[in-house]
Amino acid sequence: MPLVTQRAKLHGQLSRADRSLLSAQVVREIRRAILSGALPPGARVVEAEIAQQMGISRSPVREAMVQLEHEGLITRHPHRGITVTVLSPEDAAEIAGLRAHLEAFAYRLALPALGETDFTHLETIIGRMVAAGDDLAATIELDIQFHGFLVEKSGHQRLGAVYHSLDGLVWALALVARNWGVTARDVPQHHASLLKAWRTRDASLAAEAITQHYRTALGPPSYTDRA
């Protein structure tokens, strides 16, 4: 896939940073710019320009780039700089499909330990998603909490380590979902349907619901047999 090298115009898109939380704030601001489309897939991300606009040194910007690269939102090209990640439908399907299989396994393990208190906790997270409104970044953070809670309840430490190693890529999956028209306001209902299936305590139904959850999130054209 050819590298897109256009520069996005970010004037007025990034707010000045709080110097006590520089790196974290840069991460949040760049995430917001990417998820809003101000920085589209393939656009160049220039550390010096970000530092200048936010009124900070380049050091916290470099630290933020490491985190954003881990999340899959940016891609570093040797000798060519940094661009917003262009995630192919096949890449998205592999990531989503792997998470779906791991979650189905986690549900089977967690089932004996899941009680009404746990389901109520998950309902609370869905309520926070509703309250987040159009804030896609906040909604994704809650999405990671929602799915991560089930994995933690499985009590399987190695499963948890493998699963959480993919958490960062949920941000990149959000770009694919956005391109297929999924908005932050769609996400709570998707999770409410998933929770309804989990409450049946039927492992087969739960596995089917988890697979369908990712299909709905990414759109049928992005979800291949690799899932």
Side-chain angles (χ1 to χ4, degrees), residues 67-89:
Q67 175 65 28
L68 292 165
E69 185 176 15
H70 171 71
E71 294 177 359
L73 286 177
I74 63 171
T75 301
R76 195 180 302 272
H77 307 275
H79 313 298
R80 292 184 293 172
I82 299 170
T83 64
V84 177
T85 297
V86 180
L87 193 68
S88 72

Side-chain angles (χ1 to χ4, degrees), residues 46-181:
V46 182
E47 292 180 358
E49 292 181 358
I50 293 169
Q52 181 179 16
Q53 184 170 341
M54 299 186 74
I56 58 177
S57 70
R58 292 182 63 175
S59 179
V61 177
R62 284 194 294 268
E63 293 173 6
M65 293 302 106
V66 172
Q67 175 65 28
L68 292 165
E69 185 176 15
H70 171 71
E71 294 177 359
L73 286 177
I74 63 171
T75 301
R76 195 180 302 272
H77 307 275
H79 313 298
R80 292 184 293 172
I82 299 170
T83 64
V84 177
T85 297
V86 180
L87 193 68
S88 72
E90 292 76 20
D91 290 334
E94 285 189 359
I95 297 165
L98 182 55
R99 285 179 71 87
H101 285 301
L102 292 173
E103 284 179 36
F105 179 39
Y107 181 85
R108 290 196 297 272
L109 294 176
L111 189 54
L114 286 174
E116 187 56 33
T117 301
D118 300 311
F119 295 134
T120 299
H121 174 69
L122 293 170
E123 280 183 340
T124 300
I125 295 176
I126 294 173
R128 292 173 183 162
M129 291 178 179
V130 173
D134 293 320
D135 189 337
L136 184 56
T139 301
I140 294 169
E141 290 178 348
L142 290 165
D143 174 276
I144 292 171
Q145 290 180 30
F146 183 94
H147 294 275
F149 179 79
L150 175 68
V151 174
E152 294 304 320
K153 290 294 292 187
S154 75
H156 194 304
Q157 293 185 1
R158 288 176 177 81
L159 169 61
V162 172
Y163 182 84
H164 288 302
S165 71
L166 300 172
D167 280 351
L169 294 174
V170 173
W171 298 95
L173 289 179
L175 295 179
V176 176
R178 188 198 65 194
N179 290 341
W180 286 110

